[in-house]
Amino acid sequence: IEGEEEIIFSEDSFINENLNTVELLSTPKAFTQVTPEVAQKLYATVAEWIPTTTERIADIFCGVGAFGISIAKLCNMTNCIIL
């Protein structure tokens, strides 16, 4: 539970998720989509929207980079940026 004092309920220091073709390792404080089933649909939908002629993609406010990682194979360059 996050707050002034962080209480850890697991011995694991990372959260491991497999979403479509993306394996994510994130920390408890990292931003990820809450529902894995919805995240998989979001990533697949975004991939469908990307034109086949796309050269570069920027994933702004990327959190753990799941969108950028999941679409990286669809273009020549993907930049994941967290501000």
Side-chain angles (χ1 to χ4, degrees), residues 31 45 48 55 63 69 78 81:
F31 175 80
T45 300
E48 290 174 9
E55 288 289 320
I69 294 167
T78 302
I81 303 164

Side-chain angles (χ1 to χ4, degrees), residues 33-44:
Q33 299 295 326
V34 176
T35 310
E37 294 82 14
V38 173
Q40 289 177 2
K41 290 178 184 176
L42 280 170
Y43 304 152

Side-chain angles (χ1 to χ4, degrees), residues 8-65:
I8 307 296
F9 289 108
S10 171
E11 293 178 7
D12 298 333
S13 57
F14 292 97
I15 299 167
N16 185 4
E17 290 185 282
N18 289 298
L19 304 171
N20 296 339
T21 60
V22 177
E23 181 178 349
L24 298 174
L25 290 174
S26 58
T27 63
K29 289 186 176 183
F31 175 80
T32 61
Q33 299 295 326
V34 176
T35 310
E37 294 82 14
V38 173
Q40 289 177 2
K41 290 178 184 176
L42 280 170
Y43 304 152
T45 300
V46 169
E48 290 174 9
W49 292 347
I50 297 172
T52 57
T53 57
T54 302
E55 288 289 320
R56 295 181 181 181
I57 295 173
D59 180 2
I60 309 293
F61 301 103
C62 66
V64 297

